[in-house]
């Protein structure tokens, strides 16, 4: 039987509906709209596309989204100065750093400067540390989106073998924590993993986020498994995920498409996190 395709747009609509209701009540109570600032350094085409999608979602939700754009050659010290002033600005309710950033600037230093209550991406060490010990307040948006997709399919994660192909700080590591917090047996694979298939073939749920088009084919997947494709790569045929859909579709049970899978849910989760930082800011 051909795999069920899990469209992210529908899941995102449910999250957005909930977000809209929450926000409506909150804005009536606090009498001010959430005001979110994104710090953007340089001009990366792909992050511009993502930003446009997120801005559209913010507008729809009634969130004010501003970008502070800096040239590629700005120093880390200057950016940190801006972050500190945004931290103390009571009219700013959330901050994001748009990645990638220039290599001479430390992402750790920037993320560590964002005050935890305004950390929309949940990437500040304080928020990541809380996620590590199971206190999930502000959780990185893409891992959260993957979790929402799994929950939407009503899959009980307890005891499941889950394999993640990605060990970045933004995707693989926080996702590992979310799954472990739900008692899955989680394996992280990456570029140094020897014999990737040996691990992926055991996965009840396989999450691929490498950005390497069609890396995962029929030889890598278990019968009746659930494949979640986070990877995005631009190819001459358009946007492409990590999973070779044609090759696996008769083997696996469920699969998320690219585009239209994890992406829209990530945007919706970003809005959910903006609402959380807004609440934290308005309460203090
Ligand atoms: N859909 C969404 O909402 C969404 C959101 C965020 C990111 N993404 C996409 O997800 C992908 C990952 O994002 P990221 O920021 O985490 O990027 P990243 O830092 O480049 O991570 C890629 C990961 O894949 C590993 N990898 C690369 N080639 C591999 C191979 N042949 N075998 C095994 N592992 C391999 C890398 O290992 P090494 O680091 O050791 O090389 C790394 O852990 C990108 O395609 C990005 O566009 C999608």
């Amino acid at each position: 039987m051909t795999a069920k395709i899990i469209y992210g747009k529908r899941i995102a609509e449910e999250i957005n509906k909930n977000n809209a209701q929450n926000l409506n009540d909150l804005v009536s109570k606090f009498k001010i709209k959430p005001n979110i600032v994104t710090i953007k350094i340089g001009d990366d085409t792909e992050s511009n596309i993502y930003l446009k999608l997120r801005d559209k979602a913010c507008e729809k939700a009634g969130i004010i989204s501003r970008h502070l754009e800096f040239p590629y050659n700005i120093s880390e010290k200057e950016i940190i100065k801006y972050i500190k002033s945004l931290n103390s600005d009571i009219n700013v309710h959330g901050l994001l750093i748009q990645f990638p950033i220039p290599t001479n600037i430390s992402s750790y230093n920037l993320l560590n400067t964002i005050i935890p209550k305004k950390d929309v991406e949940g990437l500040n060490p304080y928020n990541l540390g809380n996620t590590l010990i199971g206190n999930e307040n502000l959780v990185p948006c893409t891992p959260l989106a993957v979790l929402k997709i799994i929950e939407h399919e009503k899959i009980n994660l307890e005891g499941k073998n889950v394999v993640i192909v990605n060990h970045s700080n933004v995707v693989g590591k926080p996702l590992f924590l979310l799954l472990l917090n739900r008692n899955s047996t989680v394996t992280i694979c990456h570029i140094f993993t020897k014999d990737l298939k040996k691990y992926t073939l055991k996965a009840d749920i396989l999450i691929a986020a490498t950005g390497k088009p069609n890396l995962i084919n029929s030889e890598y997947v278990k019968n009746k498994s659930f494949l979640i494709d986070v990877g995005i790569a631009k190819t001459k045929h358009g946007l492409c995920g990590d999973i070779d859909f044609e090759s696996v579709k008769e083997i696996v049970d469920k699969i998320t498409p690219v585009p239209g899978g994890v992406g829209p849910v990530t945007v919706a989760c970003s809005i959910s996190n903006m609402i959380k930082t807004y609440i934290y800011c308005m309460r203090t």
Side-chain angles (χ1 to χ4, degrees):
M1 217 172 72
T2 307
K4 176 181 173 191
I5 301 176
I6 313 296
Y7 292 103
K9 205 173 159 206
R10 289 189 201 142
I11 302 169
E13 275 165 9
E14 283 172 28
I15 299 170
N16 287 335
K17 206 170 140 194
N18 203 22
N19 282 342
Q21 183 59 54
N22 278 346
L23 203 52
N24 206 19
D25 296 348
L26 289 163
V27 173
S28 313
K29 182 174 166 194
F30 297 128
K31 315 273 180 242
I32 179 171
K33 282 185 174 185
N35 185 348
I36 308 294
V37 175
T38 302
I39 292 176
K40 197 171 153 249
I41 311 168
D43 195 26
D44 180 73
T45 324
E46 281 177 38
S47 58
N48 286 343
I49 298 169
Y50 178 70
L51 268 180
K52 258 193 196 157
L53 289 174
R54 210 182 51 211
D55 284 348
K56 218 168 127 187
C58 282
E59 199 185 325
K60 222 169 155 187
I63 292 174
I64 300 164
S65 167
R66 290 189 291 131
H67 304 172
L68 277 187
E69 302 195 11
F70 297 99
Y72 203 78
N73 59 358
I74 191 164
S75 69
E76 182 178 304
K77 208 170 150 192
E78 261 185 279
I79 293 284
I80 286 181
K81 201 173 81 192
Y82 277 103
I83 296 176
K84 284 183 177 164
S85 84
L86 293 163
N87 277 344
S88 52
D89 185 341
I90 56 161
N91 293 313
V92 171
H93 310 111
L95 288 175
L96 299 103
I97 310 281
Q98 187 61 37
F99 289 100
I101 59 171
T103 46
N104 62 317
I105 297 178
S106 150
S107 58
Y108 174 82
N109 288 345
L110 301 196
L111 293 167
N112 196 28
T113 306
I114 296 179
I115 191 170
K117 69 175 180 181
K118 293 192 182 184
D119 174 30
V120 172
E121 291 285 349
L123 290 170
N124 172 285
Y126 174 85
N127 286 320
L128 279 177
N130 263 328
T131 301
L132 172 80
I133 54 173
N135 189 13
E136 297 169 7
N137 289 324
L138 284 163
V139 171
C141 305
T142 306
L144 186 59
V146 171
L147 192 65
K148 292 286 172 198
I149 291 170
I150 295 170
E151 283 173 359
H152 182 265
E153 289 305 301
K154 302 194 173 17
I155 289 168
N156 179 6
L157 280 163
E158 212 165 84
K160 290 278 185 305
N161 281 333
V162 186
V163 175
I164 305 167
V165 192
N166 176 303
H167 66 167
S168 73
N169 290 338
V170 186
V171 180
K173 289 183 200 169
L175 182 54
F176 170 85
L177 298 174
L178 297 185
L179 297 165
L180 190 62
N181 287 345
R182 286 156 185 78
N183 298 324
S184 295
T185 303
V186 197
T187 306
I188 289 237
C189 299
H190 43 77
I191 198 78
F192 299 106
T193 301
K194 293 191 180 101
D195 195 4
L196 182 62
K197 274 181 214 168
K198 190 172 112 190
Y199 302 94
T200 59
L201 277 169
K202 289 192 181 135
D204 300 315
I205 302 174
L206 173 60
I207 303 153
T210 68
K212 300 283 169 339
N214 299 329
L215 175 74
I216 306 294
N217 60 35
S218 58
E219 294 174 19
Y220 288 74
V221 301
K222 182 179 159 183
N223 250 344
K224 301 199 183 311
S225 55
F226 185 0
L227 307 188
I228 301 181
D229 198 347
V230 181
I232 307 172
K234 249 191 189 165
T235 69
K236 59 180 180 188
H237 308 295
L239 288 186
C240 189
D242 287 4
I243 297 169
D244 181 349
F245 177 79
E246 286 304 317
S247 159
V248 301
K249 69 178 185 193
E250 303 297 337
I251 305 171
V252 306
D253 203 20
K254 299 169 199 263
I255 184 165
T256 63
V258 175
V262 178
V265 190
T266 299
V267 174
C269 287
S270 182
I271 302 289
S272 307
N273 278 6
M274 289 175 192
I275 297 173
K276 278 193 175 178
T277 60
Y278 168 65
I279 295 171
Y280 296 149
C281 288
M282 297 313 290
R283 278 192 187 148
T284 50

